[in-house]
Amino acid sequence: AGVELSDMICPVESAEVTMGFSYNTEPVYSATLKEYRSDHMGVDIGAKTGEKVKAALGGIVQTVYTDGKLGRTVVIAHENGIKTVYSNLEDNINVLEGDDVAQGDVIGYVGKTATFEIEDATHLHFEVYQDDVVVDPTPYIQ
């Protein structure tokens, strides 16, 4: 029982993946870094600055921090070893560490805080882990 990856909703409205997942797979091009990379451990989902970012699943907010590359970040731990990571958020975050969030709760807003993706179109950087192994979220958010 409990939640499965297939229960996820897309954290932003569009569900348009502007930069795909490329961890140990096909490289993707970074407009900011002007090179192909095979270390994009999530997907970038196109979204307007200020757009609401929702919890893809219910869970507990594990950490809220500023990542040197990916900007303002919220990490949510879910049942069954699932973890979701939301980056490139505005400084104004709606949740605190330890908060219980329901699926669809607004946790923050799309910003431009990711220095490694600053030249890319505004987006949410979204990562998903199952038992601490990164997985491609694409099939679950479209």
Side-chain angles (χ1 to χ4, degrees):
V3 298
E4 301 294 332
L5 290 171
S6 57
D7 296 329
M8 273 196 292
I9 59 168
C10 187
V12 289
E13 224 168 88
S14 77
E16 183 204 345
V17 174
T18 55
M19 184 186 282
F21 179 86
S22 75
Y23 186 67
N24 291 338
T25 59
E26 289 295 307
V28 292
Y29 186 75
S30 162
T32 304
L33 302 174
K34 310 246 187 299
E35 64 185 17
Y36 283 89
R37 317 248 336 172
S38 295
D39 61 353
H40 196 234
M41 295 179 71
V43 292
D44 292 348
I45 309 167
K48 297 181 188 82
T49 305
E51 190 177 317
K52 292 175 180 170
V53 176
K54 297 173 182 168
L57 293 164
I60 306 285
V61 177
Q62 206 171 25
T63 48
V64 177
Y65 68 101
T66 300
D67 182 279
K69 299 173 184 173
L70 296 173
R72 294 290 287 155
T73 298
V74 171
V75 179
I76 301 176
H78 313 282
E79 291 174 15
N80 292 342
I82 300 171
K83 192 166 75 174
T84 53
V85 182
Y86 311 78
S87 299
N88 198 30
L89 301 174
E90 283 186 349
D91 287 329
N92 179 19
I93 306 265
N94 288 2
V95 292
L96 300 169
E97 290 180 16
D99 280 1
D100 202 339
V101 292
Q103 184 178 46
D105 281 359
V106 176
I107 57 169
Y109 305 91
V110 175
K112 275 196 84 84
T113 56
T115 54
F116 261 46
E117 299 177 342
I118 206 83
E119 296 300 320
D120 303 333
T122 51
H123 63 276
L124 172 72
H125 178 87
F126 181 60
E127 297 177 8
V128 177
Y129 294 83
Q130 173 83 64
D131 300 320
D132 292 323
V133 177
V134 67
V135 293
D136 182 354
T138 310
Y140 305 110
I141 60 173
Q142 296 189 318

